[in-house]
Amino acid sequence: MRTFLTVLLLALPLTLSAQLRESIEVSVLELDVVVLDRDGKSVDGLTSDDFEVEIGKRRAGVTNFYAVKRGAIVDEHPAGSPRRAGVSGETLLPTTVVVFIDDTRLTQHAKARAIDALKEYVAANVGPATSAMLVRWNGRLDVRTRPAERAGPLIAELEKMAKEPAMLNDSERRHILKTIDEAMLGITGHKYAHSVQNAWIRMIGYADREAREVDQTLDALREVTRLAGAFEGRKSLLYISEGLPLQPAADLFEYWDRMTRARGVEGLDADLMETIARNAGGGYNQIMDGMRYDRSRRYHELSRQAQALNVPFYAIDVGGARGLATPGVEEIHRIAQISTTAFRANLQDGVRMLAHETGGRFIANENDLGRALAVVSEQFDTYYSLGVRASASTRLAKVSVKVKARPELRVVAARHRKPLTRDEQIERAVRSRLYLAKSENPHGAEVAVGTAANLAGRCVVPVNVFVPRAKIVPAGGAQTLKLHFALLDELNQESDVRTTPVPLGPGDLSHPLTIGVRPGRYVLSLAVSDPSTGVTSYLRRDIDASGCR
């Protein structure tokens, strides 16, 4: 994950990058779509001619097409060409599932059930076509495994995570409800101003803390979405929790309002409320509205990022089916009733919106978590990929995909997408290879990593990139190559992707890099790209700078 890892590129003319600005027209936008019938089952057997696509308000023709079932291409052909079916087994497309376990929004019982189901899912599904990555959030983001195609290490890590404490506790919320009850039951005038004020201030404090925690969780999800977006092929983020509030403490504000109405005091005594507002800070009406805690904008920011990165968001409320709550012993004497339906909706609506907007799925009220995982798993690796013509743009464009003359079929896809520039595609590929040992080398490039050393108080690693001139296609008279690279440390923290231009001479290219790092071990992912042709080589090397002191 990208946090504090800083990489310095030393003794290089970085200012030359301004000379390499280029305009690259992106002509094809890839759309991954899932088609479901009325029972929610995936529909196969469709062709490119069955789909109708609009980008913005314009019809977009399908230029290429393939259908994937359980991670294997079963039909692939350019639009207008003969259909080539039955190719399963020839091509496996990588599917990467990033499992985000949110301990801050899980009880221990629900977490245990979720991990048992995840272990079964991993054992049955992880393999050559599907890799999984585990991330834990407990107020700190912890990448527990890199993408793995073997079930054993993943299951072992899940078993470790099962022993770590979940953090969701409802006791503070219940105590605040009790404080509100006691304050409201005693209202006869200014005599009880202190207890009402105390109840109100405690509620505001709770809402503030909840809002900060939700913001931190959404920030963590954004970072993991950014990570998942770098992977090639189909990628998905699976969020495991018991819900995440759209509007923190909304149920408490609603209960306060019901209590004041039930007491027939319509906002309570004006002088009393003025005192509360003055002591709590701000105006009473503004605070009581509770809308200042609404996190809709933050959810939409995450949604747009996920759509730009083509990462569908899946979520399972592992709390399972919950009926309408009946009052417990401590609630029997309450004046107003708590709306459990509204409380649950507040926990689910933001997550449901993320799934809907990004082309994923949200499952709630399901006690059989194995069945829930099977449902979302089918959408992970069984889908259609449509290539459509789209103009290059830095903005997300609205996308609409339908199956012609089949209104009973529902298409699940991201609501907005953005074409990628060539540099953005290369950056994602560089980052994905920090985690996946995959190389492509049409340039015949070589990367030599020297011994790390202390230079003027800084740990530096010499790296040399060699490219034979004969392998550089002379089309367009390429005068410059680009080097793109990033590092990953032992804590799975990424650096940014750095890009530097390298002028070409008449002979072979031999270009030194001097990279400044902290002492430790790293993975280096490096790309050599030819801007004139788009041909790119990707290489990966290990760096040991642990002895650099």
Side-chain angles (χ1 to χ4, degrees):
M1 305 305 298
R2 184 182 61 170
T3 53
F4 66 82
L5 179 56
T6 301
V7 174
L8 299 178
L9 188 59
L10 305 178
L12 286 176
L14 295 181
T15 55
L16 288 178
S17 61
Q19 302 173 21
L20 282 177
R21 298 187 183 280
E22 55 187 317
S23 176
I24 301 174
E25 183 70 19
V26 178
S27 59
V28 176
L29 176 62
E30 297 292 338
L31 304 174
D32 292 339
V33 305
V34 176
V35 181
L36 304 176
D37 62 19
R38 285 179 173 144
D39 297 324
K41 301 293 185 181
S42 293
V43 176
D44 56 17
L46 300 177
T47 72
S48 60
D49 294 333
D50 293 313
F51 290 94
E52 180 180 292
V53 182
E54 288 185 357
I55 305 295
K57 295 183 179 180
R58 296 184 178 182
R59 186 72 57 86
V62 177
T63 60
N64 50 63
F65 169 90
Y66 56 83
V68 180
K69 189 168 186 177
R70 298 189 181 92
I73 294 179
V74 295
D75 184 13
E76 178 182 16
H77 62 280
S81 68
R83 186 175 178 185
R84 186 166 75 95
V87 297
S88 179
E90 292 184 17
T91 305
L92 289 176
L93 289 179
T95 296
T96 304
V97 182
V98 181
V99 182
F100 187 110
I101 298 177
D102 185 357
D103 273 345
T104 68
R105 307 302 307 182
L106 285 170
T107 60
Q108 201 66 42
H109 174 69
K111 179 180 177 179
R113 293 177 62 244
I115 286 185
D116 286 344
L118 285 167
K119 285 161 56 178
E120 293 181 7
Y121 165 79
V122 165
N125 293 278
V126 168
T130 302
S131 60
M133 180 175 183
L134 301 177
V135 177
R136 182 196 185 207
W137 169 249
N138 66 344
R140 184 179 71 87
L141 203 54
D142 185 11
V143 176
R144 304 300 290 263
T145 69
R146 298 178 184 182
E149 297 178 356
R150 293 190 303 116
L154 292 165
I155 292 173
E157 198 61 39
L158 284 167
E159 289 174 346
K160 292 179 184 177
M161 294 173 74
K163 299 174 183 177
E164 296 165 350
M167 302 168 64
L168 184 60
N169 190 327
D170 198 36
S171 61
E172 183 180 5
R173 171 180 166 273
R174 290 182 176 275
H175 189 71
I176 291 172
L177 287 168
K178 182 179 179 182
T179 302
I180 295 172
D181 286 343
E182 292 173 348
M184 293 292 183
L185 287 170
I187 289 174
T188 59
H190 293 286
K191 180 179 178 181
Y192 294 93
H194 179 74
S195 59
V196 176
Q197 176 179 297
N198 179 62
W200 179 260
I201 292 176
R202 290 198 63 179
M203 185 169 67
I204 292 297
Y206 175 81
D208 285 337
R209 289 191 297 277
E210 277 277 282
R212 285 195 299 271
E213 290 175 5
V214 171
D215 286 347
Q216 291 166 357
T217 301
L218 292 174
D219 286 342
L221 285 167
R222 290 190 68 172
E223 185 63 23
V224 173
T225 299
R226 177 184 175 275
L227 171 61
F231 299 141
E232 296 179 315
R234 177 79 159 162
K235 55 261 186 175
S236 304
L237 193 156
L238 175 59
Y239 179 59
I240 300 295
S241 75
E242 293 184 65
L244 189 66
L246 180 64
Q247 182 180 319
D251 59 315
L252 297 183
F253 287 103
E254 181 187 26
Y255 186 64
W256 179 280
D257 183 63
R258 290 188 182 206
M259 285 289 285
T260 59
R261 292 178 185 277
R263 291 290 287 162
V265 288
E266 291 300 327
L268 304 179
D269 179 84
D271 292 338
L272 175 58
M273 288 301 97
E274 184 179 346
T275 300
I276 293 175
R278 184 171 59 253
N279 291 335
Y284 173 72
N285 290 334
Q286 175 190 2
I287 297 175
M288 193 177 73
D289 185 18
M291 290 303 294
R292 75 174 192 174
Y293 297 105
D294 185 86
R295 261 45 199 166
S296 295
R297 181 180 61 82
R298 298 294 305 274
Y299 276 96
H300 281 291
E301 288 172 354
L302 174 57
S303 170
R304 293 180 70 82
Q305 180 196 41
Q307 291 175 84
L309 296 173
N310 196 22
V311 179
F313 188 96
Y314 292 83
I316 299 176
D317 179 351
V318 298
R322 290 171 288 228
L324 293 175
T326 56
V329 174
E330 76 283 3
E331 298 178 352
I332 291 175
H333 300 295
R334 282 190 177 150
I335 301 170
Q337 294 297 314
I338 298 174
S339 174
T340 56
T341 301
F343 174 65
R344 197 170 309 139
N346 185 45
L347 291 175
Q348 296 176 352
D349 284 351
V351 178
R352 182 180 285 107
M353 181 276 292
L354 285 171
H356 176 68
E357 291 287 324
T358 61
R361 190 158 183 171
F362 172 61
I363 296 180
N365 301 319
E366 175 59 74
N367 287 325
D368 187 341
L369 298 184
R371 181 165 58 189
L373 283 168
V375 169
V376 298
S377 175
E378 186 178 23
Q379 291 186 207
F380 290 160
D381 56 17
T382 299
Y383 58 97
Y384 298 93
S385 180
L386 314 176
V388 298
R389 295 195 178 280
S391 299
S393 174
T394 58
R395 296 183 177 182
L396 288 172
K398 186 175 181 180
V399 175
S400 173
V401 184
K402 300 178 182 177
V403 179
K404 300 175 184 175
R406 298 287 300 275
E408 78 279 7
L409 299 183
R410 180 166 63 94
V411 176
V412 180
R415 303 288 297 276
H416 298 81
R417 286 295 313 281
K418 181 177 78 69
L420 297 178
T421 66
R422 186 183 300 165
D423 278 352
E424 288 174 328
Q425 293 171 344
I426 292 172
E427 178 178 339
R428 291 191 186 183
V430 168
R431 292 183 56 233
S432 73
R433 284 162 174 79
L434 289 170
Y435 301 88
L436 305 172
K438 181 181 178 183
S439 296
E440 299 171 28
N441 196 6
H443 289 120
E446 299 176 11
V447 177
V449 177
T451 302
N454 190 303
L455 179 63
R458 183 180 298 278
C459 183
V460 298
V461 179
V463 176
N464 191 76
V465 181
F466 173 84
V467 182
R469 193 64 173 88
K471 290 284 188 176
I472 302 173
V473 180
Q479 299 298 312
T480 310
L481 295 183
K482 282 184 177 181
L483 300 183
H484 318 255
F485 74 93
L487 295 181
L488 183 73
D489 71 5
E490 297 168 284
L491 298 177
N492 293 311
Q493 297 172 130
E494 297 178 28
S495 72
D496 289 324
V497 177
R498 298 293 303 270
T499 300
T500 183
V502 181
L504 287 173
D508 297 336
L509 171 70
S510 182
H511 189 78
L513 301 174
T514 303
I515 303 174
V517 297
R518 297 180 180 182
R521 290 182 171 84
Y522 299 86
V523 173
L524 167 68
S525 176
L526 184 143
V528 180
S529 67
D530 184 341
S532 67
T533 63
V535 176
T536 304
S537 293
Y538 297 97
L539 301 102
R540 190 174 186 265
R541 296 289 185 270
D542 292 326
I543 291 178
D544 186 355
S546 56
C548 188
R549 294 288 184 264

